[in-house]
Amino acid sequence: MNNKNFGFCENETISHKIHNLIADNLLGIEQLSKIERRYDDMRDNFYRYPKDFVTDDKGEWVFSEDLKPFAPKGRGCYSDTTAVPIPISHPDFIDLTTRTKEQGRGAIGLDLPTWFYQSPEAPFIMIVTQDPLRSAKWYGDEVDEKYLCNDAVVSSPFGLQDAHHRERGTGGKRMWLLVRALLERGYNVYLTDCRKFFIYNHTQSDKYTTVVKMDIYRNILKKEIEIINPKLIVTLGHSANKSCRELLGDDKRLSPYMPHFCGTAGHKIKEFFEINQKISIEELATMYANKIAELAKQNIKH
């Protein structure tokens, strides 16, 4: 792999379509320029770190002027982050900004889809997880409503846009090992969520995700699939698998269930791969990549 940043969010055609898809369907067309600059920031800072992890040989993430982390004066904030707030003006989701205290305000999560593009000849594998978690401790009104963030807190799936999360992140390191393994096997990789917004906590997010909202998410996911044209759609975890089957029906590219590649799913992972001994996350990433590559080859043949 010769690409300096593994083709992270590269390819002008894909970029143009995905930027507009997010603006037209999630954040609002008024936010298009911020979405475009957010992707520029993620590409430009691919090898940089959040400020708390900068050393003499590690550069600090550089933010665009109006795309900086949420850091209100007068309280502690989440300093180990490269997520940034972007306003929501889309009519389908403007209701997120008018929620009551009882409904849980703030902590609105949105992960921008990201991709690693090696070449036009390399087939795409799409990896889909459930939703973009955010903590009300940092962005909601749990402590004091004057500190809540009423914008979407925008990151990427597993925080792969910054070097720290790829090297040490709870989920970022695991997913980066898997993505790297798939890239080494000759695939392009695209990552996204099936439920695009996460709101406050799991209970409130589930209540918010109505049939109407799921219809919107279905249309967005189908448009992503049209743009990327993946040979395989991998769903990680029971929730993502169930949601994707509800959204996409009998799409033949959908993979069978695979456990989420996270620390809390350790028991399910061992059962799935029939592991009866201690194993490193590097070895697990190889097992996941081998299984995914096997499924992708079967789809390519058919």
Side-chain angles (χ1 to χ4, degrees):
M1 288 176 288
N2 296 320
N3 288 351
K4 181 178 67 173
N5 63 355
F6 305 92
F8 181 66
C9 292
E10 293 183 353
N11 185 290
E12 288 187 13
T13 300
I14 294 175
S15 295
H16 176 75
K17 290 180 178 180
I18 295 298
H19 297 170
N20 281 276
L21 178 66
I22 296 161
D24 290 343
N25 295 274
L26 288 170
L27 288 174
I29 195 63
E30 301 86 353
Q31 315 307 333
L32 179 58
S33 65
K34 287 191 174 185
I35 293 165
E36 292 171 338
R37 281 184 286 119
R38 175 59 178 171
Y39 273 99
D40 287 342
D41 283 359
M42 292 195 297
R43 276 191 298 270
D44 293 345
N45 288 279
F46 188 75
Y47 282 109
R48 295 191 178 120
Y49 295 75
K51 63 181 181 180
D52 288 356
F53 296 93
V54 174
T55 62
D56 290 341
D57 61 342
K58 294 180 178 180
E60 182 176 351
W61 182 283
V62 180
F63 296 91
S64 292
E65 183 57 34
D66 58 347
L67 289 175
K68 295 184 177 180
F70 179 68
K73 293 181 180 179
R75 65 157 288 189
C77 59
Y78 181 20
S79 59
D80 171 24
T81 186
T82 53
V84 299
I86 296 180
I88 302 167
S89 56
H90 195 287
D92 288 337
F93 295 102
I94 195 70
D95 56 346
L96 285 171
T97 68
T98 60
R99 288 168 61 83
T100 66
K101 185 175 179 64
E102 290 70 31
Q103 292 173 310
R105 294 177 293 186
I108 305 165
L110 173 65
D111 281 344
L112 299 183
T114 53
W115 59 92
F116 295 84
Y117 182 83
Q118 299 196 88
S119 76
E121 290 78 28
F124 258 107
I125 289 174
M126 176 183 279
I127 297 177
V128 186
T129 50
Q130 177 73 345
D131 46 24
L133 305 182
R134 298 293 183 271
S135 172
K137 176 181 179 181
W138 305 114
Y139 302 110
D141 59 5
E142 281 190 346
V143 178
D144 190 321
E145 64 181 62
K146 69 181 179 181
Y147 297 129
L148 73 86
C149 179
N150 220 28
D151 297 333
V153 180
V154 177
S155 187
S156 73
F158 303 98
L160 296 185
Q161 77 272 7
D162 78 59
H164 170 71
H165 281 86
R166 294 194 305 276
E167 293 172 3
R168 297 187 185 180
T170 303
K173 181 175 181 179
R174 286 171 172 259
M175 189 53 59
W176 181 229
L177 288 170
L178 174 54
V179 169
R180 281 287 302 271
L182 292 172
L183 295 174
E184 289 165 358
R185 285 160 175 76
Y187 295 99
N188 298 324
V189 179
Y190 181 90
L191 301 104
T192 193
D193 297 306
C194 52
R195 288 178 17 171
K196 301 305 182 183
F197 281 111
F198 177 84
I199 302 92
Y200 200 75
N201 58 30
H202 285 289
T203 299
Q204 291 298 336
S205 199
D206 288 344
K207 286 181 180 178
Y208 181 80
T209 311
T210 61
V211 172
V212 172
K213 301 298 186 188
M214 286 297 282
D215 282 342
I216 298 171
Y217 294 157
R218 174 186 294 106
N219 291 333
I220 296 171
L221 188 58
K222 284 185 174 180
K223 288 175 182 176
E224 289 180 273
I225 292 169
E226 288 175 11
I227 293 167
I228 298 302
N229 189 26
K231 297 302 179 185
L232 181 70
I233 303 168
V234 178
T235 59
L236 294 180
H238 278 297
S239 295
N241 185 266
K242 181 176 182 290
S243 291
C244 277
R245 295 197 177 279
E246 291 173 353
L247 293 172
L248 301 176
D250 60 352
D251 191 312
K252 298 297 188 290
R253 292 168 293 183
L254 271 172
S255 74
Y257 161 77
M258 293 186 73
H260 202 301
F261 188 27
C262 61
T264 57
H267 180 68
K268 293 178 181 178
I269 293 171
K270 287 185 175 181
E271 281 188 349
F272 183 82
F273 288 106
E274 297 181 348
I275 299 168
N276 54 17
Q277 59 193 29
K278 189 173 181 179
I279 189 169
S280 69
I281 58 172
E282 289 80 8
E283 291 172 302
L284 280 177
T286 298
M287 295 176 77
Y288 267 84
N290 287 342
K291 180 65 176 177
I292 291 170
E294 176 188 330
L295 292 170
K297 287 177 181 177
Q298 291 173 4
N299 281 10
I300 289 170
K301 288 178 181 177
H302 295 102

